Amino acid sequence: MSRRVVRQSKFRHVFGQAAKADQAYEDIRVSKVTWDSSFCAVNPKFLAIIVEAGGGGAFIVLPLAKTGRVDKNFPLVTGHTAPVLDIDWCPHNDNVIASASDDTTVMVWQIPDYTPMRNITEPIITLEGHSKRVGILSWHPTARNVLLSAGGDNVIIMWNVGTGEVLLSLDDMHPDVIHSVCWNSNGSLLATTCKDKTLRIIDPRKGQVVAERARPHEGARPLRAVFTADGKLLSTGFSRMSERQLALWDPNNFEEPVALQEMDTSNGVLLPFYDPDSSIVYLCGKGDSSIRYFEITEEPPFVHYLNTFSSKEPQRGMGFMPKRGLDVSKCEIARFYKLHERKCEPIIMTVPRKSDLFQDDLYPDTPGPEPALEADEWLAGQDAEPVLISLRDGYVPPKHRELRVTKRNILDVRLPSGPRRSQSASDAPLSQHTLETLLEEIKALREQVQAQEQRITALENMLCELVDGTD
């Protein structure tokens, strides 16, 4: 009788555990908006949750350590005039978060390290370019200040948050509502799913669809897709019989899925959270009370079911902590923030290990908070992989870093550069008063430079005298 060989994997025994009751965040009125976003975003400093708010849209931002019951008067981030549909933390600045709303705008906020005394109502910048509600946000993984938004107008816009400018607008790619957008690891490609049941891979800078697959899942419910570390695609959707599915695709051969897993019959859309360091995908269904997780490998059958974390309460949404926010001393490989109706509960995924030493195999170097490119470099065609950091000694978030916005496109004064363009209302001729002010400013700066140069010369002379004296 042949013995069945059990597949070797360090993640075979990963188990999920809900945090103790005193580690949850209680008394939060989670938003009831019917929108398939996760309603929650988390980073190593803060937990942000979209909440119910009268007369507009709001979300709450809590320091991670502020567990327990949340005061009903705790300050909110309020600025939108309609419900907030999506929020996303900037990967390169833990104090910056973007919010998208039914009011057609995207707002970018600076969150202070201290708890503010009253509601935060003034965003750093408001991005206006969509004509219908904005339901999807995603920051570029490696370029500084590049933010993607997708709206009900079927348009995807890339913004330079540092200037308020539109970098790119993809407005003729999708004939219907966009359900999900995901960057690949270096931000050179996008994977999108749409109500027209097509999975597309787009090169945003060329404005081209590189590859597409019609009906990757036969069912009528919305699809989701995420890139894996090696450039393949994971998609979640429904079969014709309404069974939920997970499929792995090779974009170079979109005819058949590399692997297909069928799960259960339920109408909750599966939100995939993919961890490139461990190559595990976690599937959280809205309205489910479970998290399924699978390991993706390079050898058949490619997708391996690991386990299911189950609880009694259904989830309204889910936040996924970046790797640098995990506790490496406890072999924690993932942490979720599960939204209930009135609270948020951390769920910790752990690999059981006996040793207390740092586990190199569980924690390869992971993307850190430094961008690899500037927005202009990315737009010009450069690509760069994320700047990696080691988690050997744990990760300490840097102190508050301010995002400075220089609005290039709405400056009052524009100096002519290159060929003279035809004058528009926003490009009116410079007034005599403005010219005089500029000339005075230039003269003052020149005088400052001359004074500095004289000071440098004097210091150099003193230095020479001292050197001569010591000789």
Side-chain angles (χ1 to χ4, degrees):
M1 194 170 105
S2 64
R3 282 170 59 207
R4 185 161 162 264
V5 178
V6 176
R7 185 179 70 90
Q8 286 295 310
S9 168
K10 58 194 169 210
F11 300 116
R12 258 185 56 220
H13 301 292
V14 169
F15 69 96
Q17 197 167 22
K20 294 191 173 90
D22 62 348
Q23 294 301 302
Y25 306 82
E26 305 271 357
D27 257 8
I28 297 169
R29 295 188 306 146
V30 177
S31 173
K32 294 186 172 69
V33 175
T34 53
W35 185 255
D36 285 329
S37 83
S38 56
F39 286 179
C40 180
V42 62
N43 70 16
K45 279 187 174 184
F46 299 107
L47 166 67
I49 299 166
I50 302 174
V51 293
E52 284 286 293
F59 58 99
I60 191 168
V61 177
L62 299 165
L64 276 193
K66 192 168 178 56
T67 53
R69 189 172 163 279
V70 177
D71 188 331
K72 69 176 188 301
N73 296 319
F74 193 90
L76 303 176
V77 182
T78 60
H80 289 288
T81 56
V84 176
L85 301 178
D86 199 13
I87 47 177
D88 197 25
W89 286 105
C90 175
H92 307 128
N93 188 335
D94 287 340
N95 293 81
V96 171
I97 188 169
S99 60
S101 166
D102 218 329
D103 66 8
T104 75
T105 66
V106 175
M107 293 183 179
V108 180
W109 308 85
Q110 184 95 37
I111 306 298
D113 283 334
Y114 59 87
T115 302
M117 298 301 290
R118 52 181 65 88
N119 287 353
I120 300 174
T121 56
E122 291 296 321
I124 314 170
I125 192 165
T126 301
L127 305 172
E128 297 175 323
H130 288 281
S131 59
K132 292 187 180 175
R133 69 180 181 180
V134 189
I136 297 169
L137 288 176
S138 183
W139 290 89
H140 193 286
T142 62
R144 189 196 308 273
N145 291 342
V146 176
L147 175 65
L148 174 152
S149 63
D153 50 7
N154 313 340
V155 174
I156 294 175
I157 299 178
M158 276 117 210
W159 308 87
N160 181 345
V161 172
T163 62
E165 291 177 305
V166 173
L167 293 177
L168 296 164
S169 181
L170 308 176
D171 48 11
D172 53 358
M173 302 260 170
H174 300 89
D176 214 324
V177 177
I178 300 160
H179 285 148
S180 74
V181 181
C182 171
W183 297 96
N184 66 349
S185 63
N186 67 2
S188 59
L189 296 173
L190 295 173
T192 69
T193 61
C194 178
K195 197 175 178 180
D196 71 347
K197 309 284 184 297
T198 302
L199 170 59
R200 293 174 176 83
I201 297 177
I202 295 169
D203 183 329
R205 288 167 298 191
K206 289 182 181 168
Q208 290 177 351
V209 176
V210 180
E212 63 181 4
R213 173 70 162 83
R215 303 190 81 85
H217 300 274
E218 291 289 328
R221 302 275 296 143
L223 310 170
R224 296 271 163 157
V226 290
F227 275 103
T228 65
D230 60 358
K232 291 190 176 71
L233 273 171
L234 283 163
S235 66
T236 59
F238 295 78
S239 71
R240 195 167 290 180
M241 307 298 291
S242 292
E243 279 188 310
R244 295 195 290 191
Q245 297 175 323
L246 170 69
L248 180 67
W249 302 88
D250 181 352
N252 299 317
N253 180 12
F254 248 156
E255 288 305 307
E256 289 294 323
V258 176
L260 184 69
Q261 282 266 355
E262 296 209 327
M263 278 161 280
D264 58 2
T265 307
S266 172
N267 60 3
V269 173
L270 285 169
L271 306 178
F273 295 94
Y274 174 72
D275 173 16
D277 296 346
S278 60
S279 223
I280 295 176
V281 63
Y282 302 86
L283 303 181
C284 309
K286 274 205 147 186
D288 286 14
S289 53
S290 62
I291 302 172
R292 291 180 181 79
Y293 38 109
F294 299 80
E295 187 178 359
I296 314 300
T297 59
E298 290 180 5
E299 63 280 343
F302 304 107
V303 177
H304 307 269
Y305 170 74
L306 290 174
N307 210 335
T308 301
F309 166 81
S310 295
S311 56
K312 292 176 183 168
E313 300 276 332
Q315 55 230 15
R316 297 283 294 278
M318 196 69 81
F320 187 50
M321 175 67 83
K323 213 45 170 276
R324 56 198 171 88
L326 303 181
D327 187 346
V328 297
S329 66
K330 294 181 179 166
C331 296
E332 181 183 10
I333 62 160
R335 191 189 311 153
F336 291 91
Y337 286 77
K338 172 181 170 177
L339 299 186
H340 299 241
E341 202 166 318
R342 297 282 302 192
K343 73 170 182 177
C344 176
E345 174 186 47
I347 293 165
I348 293 150
M349 298 287 176
T350 311
V351 175
R353 292 275 169 100
K354 287 179 181 170
S355 170
D356 290 336
L357 300 173
F358 179 73
Q359 307 291 313
D360 293 89
D361 60 328
L362 296 184
Y363 301 106
D365 288 357
T366 197
E370 286 305 315
L373 291 171
E374 296 299 324
D376 294 343
E377 294 172 327
W378 176 76
L379 188 63
Q382 289 188 46
D383 290 319
E385 292 300 321
V387 178
L388 303 180
I389 57 169
S390 169
L391 296 177
R392 178 172 290 278
D393 301 316
Y395 172 77
V396 179
K399 284 277 183 266
H400 182 92
R401 286 191 300 181
E402 198 160 324
L403 170 61
R404 297 193 181 280
V405 175
T406 312
K407 293 189 180 177
R408 278 188 210 154
N409 56 334
I410 48 176
L411 284 174
D412 296 328
V413 175
R414 293 179 176 224
L415 290 172
S417 59
R420 189 77 179 132
R421 292 167 297 159
S422 62
Q423 289 176 350
S424 64
S426 64
D427 214 345
L430 298 172
S431 69
Q432 191 65 33
H433 170 73
T434 310
L435 282 170
E436 285 168 7
T437 309
L438 281 172
L439 287 168
E440 281 172 15
E441 225 174 297
I442 291 166
K443 186 180 171 185
L445 285 169
R446 281 211 174 110
E447 285 170 1
Q448 283 178 28
V449 170
Q450 283 171 355
Q452 295 287 352
E453 284 174 348
Q454 287 169 2
R455 176 76 178 138
I456 290 166
T457 307
L459 289 171
E460 283 174 345
N461 290 339
M462 285 169 64
L463 186 64
C464 290
E465 285 169 17
L466 284 169
V467 171
D468 292 340
T470 54
D471 286 345

